[in-house]
Amino acid sequence: MTPSEEIVVMIACPTGGAADTLARDLVEAGLAACVNRLPGMRSTYRWQGEVVVDEEDLLLAKTTRAAFGALEAFVAERHPYEVPEIVALPLVAGHTPYLDWLRAQVAASESGIARS
C-alpha cells in the first residue's frame, strides 16, 4: 500500500477560544477541509525541566501532504504556545467520497478559489 496524500494533523491547544479560532481560521484559509475539536484532553509532558500536567483541547485537521508546510507555518504563527504540537499522521484508508471531498477543499485553496 502506498502512502496516502491525505493526512490528519494533531494540534494541541489551550482550552477555550484559541482552539475554536484556530480551527475556523484553518478551514477558512483552505489549509484544512475539516477540523475536529476534542475538548477535555489532559496532557502530561516535560517543559523546561519540569513535568507539567495541563488541560488542553486537541484539534484534528484533515488536509493533504502538499498543504502541510503551509498549515504548519500558519499554526506556528498564530498558536499561543512557544513550541506547539503540530504532528501529521498518514491516513491508511478512508471512504473514497470523503477523501475526494477533502482533496477538493484543500486543492480549491491552492488554486486561489477559497482564499480568505
Side-chain angles (χ1 to χ4, degrees), residues 9-20:
V9 180
M10 298 188 319
I11 305 161
C13 295
T15 59
D20 286 333

Side-chain angles (χ1 to χ4, degrees), residues 11-15 38 40-46 51-58 81 85:
I11 305 161
C13 295
T15 59
L38 305 175
M41 177 175 73
R42 174 169 259 167
S43 297
T44 305
Y45 57 94
R46 185 175 301 279
V51 175
V52 178
V53 178
D54 276 331
E55 297 295 324
E56 295 181 298
D57 292 345
L58 181 64
Y81 291 169
E85 173 187 353

Side-chain angles (χ1 to χ4, degrees), residues 18-98:
D20 286 333
T21 300
L22 188 55
R24 183 172 191 83
D25 290 350
L26 284 168
V27 173
E28 285 181 349
L31 294 170
C34 173
V35 179
N36 302 113
R37 177 176 166 248
L38 305 175
M41 177 175 73
R42 174 169 259 167
S43 297
T44 305
Y45 57 94
R46 185 175 301 279
W47 180 247
Q48 298 179 343
E50 301 290 326
V51 175
V52 178
V53 178
D54 276 331
E55 297 295 324
E56 295 181 298
D57 292 345
L58 181 64
L59 299 181
L60 300 176
K62 275 72 79 174
T63 190
T64 63
R65 288 176 187 260
F68 178 77
L71 182 147
E72 179 185 25
F74 186 93
V75 171
E77 180 180 307
R78 291 162 176 78
H79 202 286
Y81 291 169
E82 184 178 338
V83 182
E85 173 187 353
I86 309 168
V87 296
L89 304 172
L91 292 176
V92 176
H95 182 53
T96 300
Y98 178 83

